[in-house]
Each structure stands twice: as C-alpha cells, then as structure tokens.
Amino acid sequence: MALLKEQQGLVINPSTGKLVSGPASSPENMFVTSNGDWASISMGPSHDQEIIKELFTIVLLSATKLRISSTDSFVSKVKHSLSQLQQVQIGKDGRIMEWALPFIEADKGHRHLSHLYGLYPGNPSYIFPNISYLNAAQKSLEIRLQYGSGQTGWSNAWVCNLWARLKNGPKALLAINDVLANKSAS
C-alpha cells in the first residue's frame, strides 16, 4: 500500500524532469523564500525522497528474493520510478540539502535532522550512491550541532545514532552520555 501511495503521489519536477514528492515539508523546519518570508512547503524535500528511494529499493530487492521476474509489470513500474526519482542533492557548502532547491534555512540549528534520514534510521547503502553523501551528511550534522541542534532528549538520541552510523564512537558516546546525564529522569 505504501508503495502504491508513493508512486501515485510523485510528480515530475519541471526543472529537472525527475520524480519528486509534494507538496511536502521537511518536518518542522522552515526556509527563507526569495522575498524574505518563511515557508515550510516545497516539492521533493530530501526526507521524502530518501524514504521513497529506500522503499522502492526494498521492494525491488524483495522481488528478487521472491524470484518475481524483473519483467513483471509492477516490478517494472517500480524500477522505472526509482530510475526517475530525483536524487538528494549536496549543496555548494558540502552539506545534504534539506530541500530540493537551495533554500536558506530559517534555523541552522534546528533540532530535527530529517534530511539525514538516509544516514539513520535509513539504510545508507540504499539511499546514498557514494561516499561523498556520507561526507555531506557528516558536515550537515556538524553544522546543525554547531548552531545548537541536539538539545532535546529525542534529538540528542538521534545525534548519537548518526555518529554511530558515521563510525565515530567517541562522539556517539558523548551524545549518549549527554542524554543519560542531562535528559533522563534521575
């Protein structure tokens, strides 16, 4: 059901010719429009694109395991949609872009790290095509933390898991110790 809903909810981005979700938001974060207003809705936010790419990939892997022919009409449709899906972008600053367009973040230290779904809890090998995306995810995390993200218990726990996925044990340990020492009941 989720797959059918996602396929029906995708549209062609006229500027790229690729499939995107939307209109949608990157959970709770906002961006600054060209006229200075704050907005939250756009086409193809990274969070959506990452989840959709992972879902399509898992469906195709499952079809292979179940020995469903790659010429099956459903499998063919999923494969085609995956090939047409707009890839998450790395911005000029080297970070994973939270939105499909290079909007300015309203809050650089926002507690949500939804655009890093592809790193965690998603499966990076399904979502990120190469090491440059892992490097961009790390830079995204570092910038968010530099500006104050990770201050709530939930956000801090996510930070711990992101550092663990990046194989940075010392920073993961710092994050989990912060949760235990400062954000847990005594």
Side-chain angles (χ1 to χ4, degrees):
M1 276 309 226
L3 178 72
L4 295 174
K5 183 177 183 285
E6 286 306 332
Q7 283 186 309
Q8 292 170 350
L10 296 175
V11 296
I12 295 174
N13 180 337
S15 62
T16 65
K18 294 289 189 177
L19 292 174
V20 295
S21 67
S25 68
S26 185
E28 294 188 26
N29 204 1
M30 299 185 82
F31 56 87
V32 181
T33 66
S34 57
N35 64 3
D37 293 332
W38 284 21
S40 63
I41 305 294
S42 68
M43 299 302 290
S46 293
H47 174 258
D48 283 16
Q49 297 299 112
E50 292 169 8
I51 290 173
I52 294 165
K53 184 174 183 181
E54 183 175 48
L55 175 63
F56 287 2
T57 300
I58 290 169
V59 166
L60 293 175
L61 290 170
S62 299
T64 299
K65 290 255 187 214
L66 294 169
R67 295 188 178 109
I68 298 172
S69 171
S70 62
T71 59
D72 174 86
S73 64
F74 179 75
V75 172
S76 293
K77 188 173 182 178
V78 173
K79 192 182 297 183
H80 178 73
S81 294
L82 179 59
S83 73
Q84 296 303 305
L85 193 65
Q86 184 168 302
Q87 178 66 42
V88 171
Q89 302 296 306
I90 297 175
K92 291 180 183 175
D93 62 359
R95 296 184 293 155
I96 298 286
M97 288 174 43
E98 189 158 355
W99 300 278
L101 296 173
F103 296 125
I104 297 169
E105 298 162 290
D107 179 5
K108 284 189 176 187
H110 196 275
R111 71 188 177 282
H112 278 251
L113 300 156
S114 302
H115 61 305
L116 300 181
Y117 172 90
L119 179 61
Y120 181 85
N123 184 330
S125 66
Y126 296 166
I127 300 167
F128 294 154
N130 57 50
I131 191 74
S132 63
Y133 282 82
L134 293 176
N135 295 334
Q138 179 172 325
K139 186 167 186 181
S140 297
L141 176 58
E142 290 168 346
I143 296 292
R144 277 284 167 93
L145 293 173
Q146 176 185 336
Y147 284 92
S149 186
Q151 299 306 310
T152 63
W154 175 85
S155 180
N156 200 313
W158 195 351
V159 167
C160 172
N161 290 311
L162 290 167
W163 283 126
R165 273 286 166 89
L166 290 166
K167 301 183 186 319
N168 190 322
K171 287 189 177 182
L173 181 61
L174 283 173
I176 196 67
N177 283 340
D178 186 45
V179 169
L180 295 173
N182 302 314
K183 296 172 178 80
S184 302
S186 22

